[in-house]
Amino acid sequence: MADVKCIATRESYGNALKELAENGADNIVVLDADLSAATKTAIFKKAFPERHINCGIAESNMMCVAAGLSTMGFVPFASSFAMFAAGRAFEQIRNSIGYPHLNVKIGATHAGISVGEDGASHQCCEDFALMRSIPGMVVICPADDVEAKQAVKAAYSYEGPVYLRFGRLAVPVFHGEDYKFEIGKGELIKEGADVTIIANGLMVAEAIEAGKELENCGISAEIINMATIKPLDKDLVVASAKKTGRVITVEEHNVIGGLGEAVCAALSAECPVPVKRIGVNDVFGHSGPAKDLLKQFGLSAENIIKVAKEFVK
């Protein structure tokens, strides 16, 4: 894996915003809550300073500013850490953006356990659940640099509110430049017969690694990248479950309210099969090196392999 390029998807976010503006998206305005260096919107700010607004440490107000800008024909990308965007500003997102179904995009970085040393107060593992609960809100968690850039561009083209989740930790780039992201469509990475593994975000690379090792053990795993959590690609989920008869979901999020529950809801209605959910097991995180924390919380290829072996046996 030494020759694989690793890029944090927050970097992809900043670069995609700049690319959009350079390619004729004259109505993009980027808002930040005094974190542009960390969210990487500083990349956009450097190129288009007149279209970047620092709202200060006032995330709730920032969402209302974004809502107002959207009514004037702008496409605002409101940016902050996931804990402050989805958590602190939930009411404003619900009432000022979701309820009137405004064309606002929320760029949430530093999500999940992989925030690392920032600790439990910043490790937002509840944002999928919060944003999925808002009617009409699209929720996306891309897996690598290529997909993250395309997700930002797809969100810009989409008319309506979108929540985009990006990570702090650099992750392997496994997509080629010919990959095409589409809102509401999952990606079948590898076909299999014994078990389906559905992941998103940085867990996709772990699922791919686990799939290779499982193959060496005689277990054929179908790997699916489900970057769009809402709307979920139910057709792909059901088709894969019918083929393998077993499903494992993997997410850097609480097992309550996220990808796993979305998959279970789809399957219970159309194709009930056993499901194992790998995620944060209804606990808070704590401070520590990101990679060590991911392993400690079972968010690793090793744990996916262990769960899959026991499941198939």
Side-chain angles (χ1 to χ4, degrees), residues 164 168 199:
L164 295 147
R168 174 188 188 185

Side-chain angles (χ1 to χ4, degrees), residues 44 62 91 107 127 131 133 142 154 163 209 225 271-272 278 285 300:
F44 178 91
M62 177 177 68
E91 181 194 345
D127 55 329
M131 292 297 104
S133 71
Y163 179 83
E209 185 180 339
N225 168 25
C271 178
I278 296 175
S300 64

Side-chain angles (χ1 to χ4, degrees), residues 127-149:
D127 55 329
F128 293 165
L130 289 166
M131 292 297 104
R132 282 181 65 226
S133 71
I134 297 176
M137 178 69 73
V138 170
V139 182
I140 302 172
C141 181
D144 71 354
D145 174 67
V146 173
E147 186 169 59
K149 286 181 178 177

Side-chain angles (χ1 to χ4, degrees), residues 144-227:
D144 71 354
D145 174 67
V146 173
E147 186 169 59
K149 286 181 178 177
Q150 291 202 19
V152 173
K153 294 169 184 177
Y156 169 74
S157 299
Y158 175 84
E159 185 71 27
V162 180
Y163 179 83
L164 295 147
R165 185 205 236 209
F166 305 106
R168 174 188 188 185
L169 190 67
V171 292
V173 180
F174 59 88
H175 284 113
E177 292 300 328
D178 59 341
Y179 170 68
K180 300 297 181 186
F181 170 80
E182 184 179 344
I183 291 174
K185 294 293 183 183
E187 176 194 11
L188 179 58
I189 293 176
K190 173 186 171 294
E191 292 195 14
D194 298 322
V195 63
T196 297
I197 302 173
I198 303 175
N200 63 13
L202 57 77
M203 292 294 99
V204 177
E206 298 295 322
I208 292 171
E209 185 180 339
K212 293 176 182 176
E213 181 58 33
L214 288 168
E215 203 73 39
N216 294 333
C217 300
I219 297 173
S220 175
E222 184 141 299
I223 310 294
I224 292 174
N225 168 25
M226 196 62 68

